[in-house]
Amino acid sequence: MWHCLWHVRSGGGRIFSNRQQGNAINLRVENVTVEDVFPSLNVFQLDLTSSIGSSATVHDVRFTNVHVRNFSTVRSCNAGNGCNCVPKCARGPLPTGIPNALWAGPDRTHNNISSMTFTNVSIGGVNLYDALTTAGYFNVTWESVHGITVDGKPVSGPAIPIHDY
């Protein structure tokens, strides 16, 4: 049922979401376990891309001991909205579900994501470092997302574009 409704109800249902809805600064998220076996939507949806009249910053946010049982279970992009990919995914398979999103604007002073730390964080049994550096799991505007660290290792993006499947 939720899979069918995802295309209509794409505005919610994510666990960690900020769609230009204010700042998240000096935030700690600790000891979270999410047991949903069949989540329709992605876990992370941080969309801080610029839009008229909105501004948001995510800075110094730390996730510690966060484990989510599964990635999005939506396995095909059938919508015209690009299925959470930048550039938009073509209609067709999404082998790892709807990509998680860390999107920031082009300006480091507005609409930015910086200094995010992940320690002992996994989704679907995949360590977040591997998810961030493997095609398909995340869609990140690496040119404007800065200071991401996973288990003490800095992450600057995958060697291949993550929107290519």
Side-chain angles (χ1 to χ4, degrees):
M1 181 77 153
W2 281 106
H3 173 75
C4 296
L5 292 175
W6 173 76
H7 303 293
V8 177
R9 297 176 48 96
S10 63
R14 293 164 177 103
I15 299 164
F16 303 111
S17 178
N18 184 332
R19 296 175 307 242
Q20 302 169 2
Q21 297 168 325
N23 296 331
I25 299 172
N26 299 321
L27 179 67
R28 305 298 178 257
V29 179
E30 299 176 337
N31 303 318
V32 175
T33 301
V34 179
E35 293 291 336
D36 190 352
V37 178
F38 301 112
S40 296
L41 297 178
N42 49 334
V43 175
F44 290 94
Q45 181 71 30
L46 302 183
D47 179 1
L48 306 183
T49 54
S50 299
S51 69
I52 298 172
S54 69
S55 178
T57 295
V58 172
H59 176 73
D60 190 24
V61 176
R62 297 179 190 185
F63 292 87
T64 305
N65 298 323
V66 176
H67 303 284
V68 180
R69 185 154 184 188
N70 206 354
F71 288 93
S72 165
T73 56
V74 174
R75 291 296 184 244
S76 65
C77 181
N78 297 319
N81 65 4
C83 296
N84 217 44
C85 300
V86 176
K88 292 182 178 185
C89 291
R91 291 179 186 260
L94 292 172
T96 58
I98 300 167
N100 292 280
L102 300 178
W103 299 334
D107 178 348
R108 280 189 185 233
T109 59
H110 297 90
N111 300 81
N112 67 69
I113 297 174
S114 62
S115 299
M116 287 184 69
T117 303
F118 299 90
T119 305
N120 193 28
V121 176
S122 65
I123 305 172
V126 177
N127 174 277
L128 205 69
Y129 185 89
D130 294 334
L132 280 164
T133 58
T134 302
Y137 292 116
F138 270 82
N139 198 291
V140 181
T141 55
W142 288 110
E143 64 277 4
S144 54
V145 173
H146 307 281
I148 305 296
T149 305
V150 179
D151 296 327
K153 296 186 272 185
V155 182
S156 59
I160 58 175
I162 60 175
H163 56 270
D164 291 344
Y165 294 117

